[in-house]
């Protein structure tokens, strides 16, 4: 089935496609709720290869390289619930407000995505309904359940970034991202800066905003949750060794932050 066939049906995902939502440790008792918007790089069978070679799909334009391994390990180490999204951000970016140009990109960095050109409103709606919405509805439901149970909930959105973008090298090893809420980012920055081997970004290489992000503004700020985004440079977590090291480091730091949040009565 190709894109045009998909546009004439009521479904994008069909036989042989896996669900968009991936969860780890759903019963975890940690106050930290982990999300990974760009965890995977799968394409729906109906969309073929989007008109790009595998070498492009496997680059950073297709997903957040290395973050899946870090997120999985952190969930286990912290006994935290992880909610992740399996499909490539080139199908629909689950950390972009629907309707903006980068939601379903026609060009990503310098790469054209032919199968995203000139698609119908119906196709856009299918992608949103079958990939974007199930993922975000699951995050909403998890938060609702935790709040009903009066469980402390701190949102941590996990991402990775490319070492070089548009020809410009990025010096940071890790960055804390935030918009209105600075409670957790300040604590995180303090702990990260105490690690003598790190170059730490304060809202670098990106800053979170209502226009460029979805998960933090909608699930964190709009729900009144303490929250932060994390960006780890991809060359540091490209293999399992790096993923393990960074998961251990961040799990240790977040365990310390939990103690501080409780001591300051920011969570119960």
């Amino acid at each position: 089935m190709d894109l045009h066939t998909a546009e004439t049906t009521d479904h994008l995902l069909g036989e042989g496609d896996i669900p968009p939502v991936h969860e780890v440790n759903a019963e975890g008792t940690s106050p930290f709720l982990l999300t990974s918007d760009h965890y995977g790089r799968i394409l729906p069978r109906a969309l073929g290869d989007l008109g790009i070679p595998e070498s492009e799909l496997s680059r950073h334009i297709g997903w957040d390289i290395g973050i899946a391994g870090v997120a999985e390990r952190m969930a286990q180490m912290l006994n935290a619930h992880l909610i992740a999204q399996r499909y490539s951000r080139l199908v629909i970016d689950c950390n972009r407000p629907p309707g903006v140009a980068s939601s379903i990109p026609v060009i990503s960095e310098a790469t054209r995505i032919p199968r995203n050109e000139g698609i119908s409103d119906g196709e856009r709606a299918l992608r949103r309904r079958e990939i974007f919405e199930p993922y975000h509805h699951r995050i909403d439901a998890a938060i609702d359940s935790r709040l009903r149970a009066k469980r402390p909930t701190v949102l941590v959105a996990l991402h990775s970034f490319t070492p070089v973008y548009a020809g410009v090298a990025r010096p940071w090893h890790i960055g804390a991202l935030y918009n209105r809420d600075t409670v957790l980012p300040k604590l995180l920055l303090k702990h990260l800066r105490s690690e003598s081997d790190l170059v730490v970004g304060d809202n670098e290489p990106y800053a979170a905003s209502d226009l460029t992000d979805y998960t933090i503004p909608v699930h964190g700020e709009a729900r009144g949750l303490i929250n932060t985004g994390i960006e780890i440079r991809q060359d540091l977590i490209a293999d399992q060794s790096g993923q393990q090291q960074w998961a251990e480091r961040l799990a240790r730091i977040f365990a310390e932050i939990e103690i501080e949040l409780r001591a300051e009565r920011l969570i119960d």
Side-chain angles (χ1 to χ4, degrees), residues 99-258:
V100 302
S102 56
S103 170
I104 301 176
V106 174
I107 298 177
S108 184
E109 196 169 338
T111 300
R112 285 182 56 246
I113 316 299
R115 288 290 188 95
N116 287 350
E117 296 176 355
I119 63 175
S120 69
D121 290 343
E123 173 66 19
R124 291 180 184 278
L126 278 177
R127 296 191 194 189
R128 179 175 178 177
R129 186 170 71 239
E130 299 197 23
I131 295 176
F132 183 96
E133 290 181 356
Y135 173 61
H136 288 292
H137 287 167
R138 181 64 192 108
I139 297 173
D140 267 335
I143 293 171
D144 286 344
S145 177
R146 294 172 72 104
L147 295 180
R148 281 196 303 269
K150 301 188 185 305
R151 291 184 54 195
T153 302
V154 178
L155 180 68
V156 179
L158 297 168
H159 294 271
S160 69
F161 68 96
T162 179
V164 178
Y165 185 78
V168 179
R170 290 158 153 178
W172 311 282
H173 299 109
I174 187 170
L177 277 57
Y178 53 93
N179 189 17
R180 299 171 184 87
D181 181 8
T182 62
V183 171
L184 182 54
K186 285 181 177 178
L187 287 173
L188 179 58
L189 287 167
K190 178 187 73 173
H191 282 273
L192 290 171
R193 287 168 174 160
S194 72
E195 310 266 310
S196 61
D197 60 331
L198 295 183
V199 178
V200 180
D202 182 344
N203 257 349
E204 296 285 1
Y206 307 104
S209 78
D210 295 340
L211 298 178
T212 59
D213 295 80
Y214 191 88
T215 298
I216 286 177
V218 171
H219 299 297
E221 294 177 337
R223 301 296 298 266
L225 302 182
I226 295 171
N227 67 85
T228 193
I230 291 178
E231 290 272 0
I232 308 171
R233 207 174 68 200
Q234 291 169 355
D235 58 316
L236 305 176
I237 55 173
D239 58 27
Q240 291 192 17
S241 175
Q243 293 160 20
Q244 180 71 22
Q245 291 171 18
W246 274 92
E248 289 174 356
R249 188 195 297 251
L250 289 172
R252 168 175 53 80
I253 287 172
F254 275 106
E256 295 167 359
I257 287 174
E258 179 181 350

Side-chain angles (χ1 to χ4, degrees), residues 61-125:
I61 65 170
W63 62 331
D64 277 1
I65 294 168
I67 205 62
V70 175
E72 296 258 353
R73 289 167 171 83
M74 282 182 65
Q76 298 298 342
M77 292 174 189
L78 289 169
N79 192 25
H81 185 187
L82 165 66
I83 303 176
Q85 199 286 118
R86 291 183 169 113
Y87 283 89
S88 173
R89 63 191 302 169
L90 297 178
V91 177
I92 186 167
D93 193 321
C94 286
N95 192 38
R96 297 291 183 272
V100 302
S102 56
S103 170
I104 301 176
V106 174
I107 298 177
S108 184
E109 196 169 338
T111 300
R112 285 182 56 246
I113 316 299
R115 288 290 188 95
N116 287 350
E117 296 176 355
I119 63 175
S120 69
D121 290 343
E123 173 66 19
R124 291 180 184 278

